[in-house]
Amino acid sequence: MDRISAKGKEKANDYDDLNPVITYRHLLTNKMGVLDPLRVVALCDLDAFYAAAEQVRLNIDPELPLAVQQWQGLIAVNYPARKFGITRMENVTEAKKKCPELILVHVATFKEGESEPGYWENPDVNTHKVSLDHYRRESTKILNLHRECMDPTVEVEKASVDEAFFDFTMPVKKAILDRFPHLASPPPDAPLGLDTPLPPPPDISWEGRGNLVPINPKNPDEKEEPPLPTASTSTQPADPEETDDNHVTTWQDVALSIGAEFMMKSRMEVKNRLGYTTSALIASYKKRDQQSILRNAAIPGFLRYMPFQKVTFSALAIHDMQRKFGEESIWVYNILRGIDHNEVKEKVATKSMLASKNVRPNITKPVEVTHWLRVLSSELCVRLIEARERTPALWPKTLVLGFRQAFGSTKSKQSPFPFAKLITPELVLKPAEKLFKELSGSAPYKISNISLEDKAEALSKLQAEHADFHVAQDLAREVIDISSDDEDQRKKPERKKLEQKATGKTKSKPDNKKSASTKVKKPPEGIAKFFTNATKR
């Protein structure tokens, strides 16, 4: 984003850049970045996602009131249930009073002895742990279908388990050129060549493309006076604030309309093939199973009546904000005006997975520790298997165990994550138990939270480089020093000892050369790199 200096500049209109001149260069140049005036970005949000996922799983009529339960509270409520005044985080008993026909589905849980989460009867908060794996899987399935329905040049960024951003700029430009081939090059007599403005665009039919956000919205707090019963009342023209008839179509509007087509098509595929309804583009204007379109001309009015709170400097000019809060305040200045220049980019593969449990009552006995470590190990195992299905080269680098005492102190300890051909709960449980013994010692404990986390990294060409993992592990030991509290881990590799005995050199000579302890070694490659600094952060 370009920074704006206030020196020597007068205060400008906040929205001067909302109607820029679109030239042939803008249309014909690919990858202009976030400041491209023909940029089209959509936000797609799944409607009441957790509730919808259970409704689809159980094949329940979507018009029936349904809520997802976690212990005695609600974590998701579908739209039919909301009509009864039921809200998230409401108590199950109170929700049933409001709607006796409410269908309650308890979220899946892990329990000791089971390698997979399940929908058990009467799960107990004292012995079970919540699993959101079903929702993560459904989210991935939905996003993959969106990608399948869209042009491969669409940039996709998953914002959360039920939201994703889509940058349609590239396919929209291609569609404009396909529909208006005369724009493929400037006219021969164009005085400015590629910098010549595009000719005026044609009118747009928005039918079937979504709900237009009004350019001049009415204040929702103002009550309208009923029209006087005169003869002219019935023949009055439509209010321009409602119809936007006075708005002149721009090429940005054309781009938005095409992007709305693409988003609508993808949303309909998700609904018809997977059974999920979505809302798209503008979250604040979203309606269930619909999409809204925010044109540049509607941005100033869009935020006009928003009930913002604790925003004390929104009326400051840009140079005043920069003087008071520094150059970085330009980001706040733009966000307050609905302008976001962040790129839409696919996020990298998951780098860590956390399984955590707030326990009631507190853990005070070894048998209770084993119970919860077994449950947490099962959850990490399931998530790791699924992550490796999406990214086969992903493998945990470090296992971290942490717990919080009831009196507030927190402890954590980590060790290298073990490797095996088959990922099982026991693979995680064994080092987790060892970490707990080292961390807790012989002192009594009263634990209110316990967690396991694996920190992963992608390994390139894992199988191709080293079919035998243990050979690779031996090679890696030559170039690393694994730091741990275990005495055997602190020992230097045997090969180094043999070399010292053979040469008779245990210390480096006091010359200008670097000592052996500080010698710069060749960076490890391939699987060896995986082990380098395995426990250092």
Side-chain angles (χ1 to χ4, degrees), residues 328-354:
E328 295 300 328
S329 62
I330 183 64
W331 179 85
V332 177
Y333 182 87
N334 282 329
I335 289 298
L336 289 172
R337 287 151 182 81
I339 301 169
D340 186 356
H341 289 151
N342 287 322
E343 289 185 282
V344 175
K345 282 189 174 181
E346 184 172 4
K347 294 182 178 178
V348 297
T350 302
K351 291 187 177 180
S352 65
M353 302 174 193
L354 176 68

Side-chain angles (χ1 to χ4, degrees), residues 200-231:
D203 291 334
I204 302 171
S205 172
W206 295 97
E207 185 176 355
R209 304 187 189 188
N211 305 301
L212 283 178
V213 176
I215 293 175
N216 298 299
K218 294 185 179 296
N219 188 341
D221 296 329
E222 292 182 358
K223 294 183 178 180
E224 294 187 24
E225 295 292 334
L228 296 175
T230 62

Side-chain angles (χ1 to χ4, degrees), residues 301-322:
F302 173 63
L303 297 175
R304 186 176 301 157
Y305 300 115
M306 285 276 181
F308 287 112
Q309 296 178 347
K310 297 183 180 180
V311 179
T312 59
F313 49 83
S314 60
L316 292 179
I318 179 63
H319 55 274
D320 292 331
M321 288 190 65
Q322 288 179 306

Side-chain angles (χ1 to χ4, degrees), residues 54 57 106-121 123 128-137 374-386 425:
E54 299 300 347
R57 181 180 67 87
H106 197 285
V107 67
T109 56
F110 283 95
K111 70 176 182 179
E112 187 177 11
E114 299 289 340
S115 60
E116 296 278 344
Y119 290 87
W120 318 109
E121 186 176 357
H128 291 64
K129 184 189 179 304
V130 165
S131 168
L132 304 179
D133 295 323
H134 174 61
Y135 310 126
R136 280 190 281 264
R137 284 192 291 266
R374 193 178 298 277
V375 171
L376 296 176
S377 297
S378 296
E379 180 177 6
L380 276 188
C381 175
V382 169
R383 294 181 62 187
L384 179 56
I385 291 173
E386 292 180 356

Side-chain angles (χ1 to χ4, degrees), residues 16-71:
D16 277 346
D17 60 342
L18 292 184
N19 190 25
V21 176
I22 309 296
T23 67
Y24 285 90
R25 189 181 302 278
H26 291 135
L27 177 60
L28 301 176
T29 303
N30 293 327
K31 298 182 179 179
M32 291 190 65
V34 296
L35 298 180
D36 191 331
L38 292 173
R39 189 184 188 208
V40 178
V41 176
L43 170 65
C44 191
D45 179 14
L46 287 153
D47 296 329
F49 176 47
Y50 286 8
E54 299 300 347
Q55 169 253 312
V56 169
R57 181 180 67 87
L58 299 172
N59 196 26
I60 295 174
D61 184 347
E63 296 306 316
L64 295 177
L66 180 146
V68 179
Q69 174 184 353
Q70 179 176 316
W71 315 130

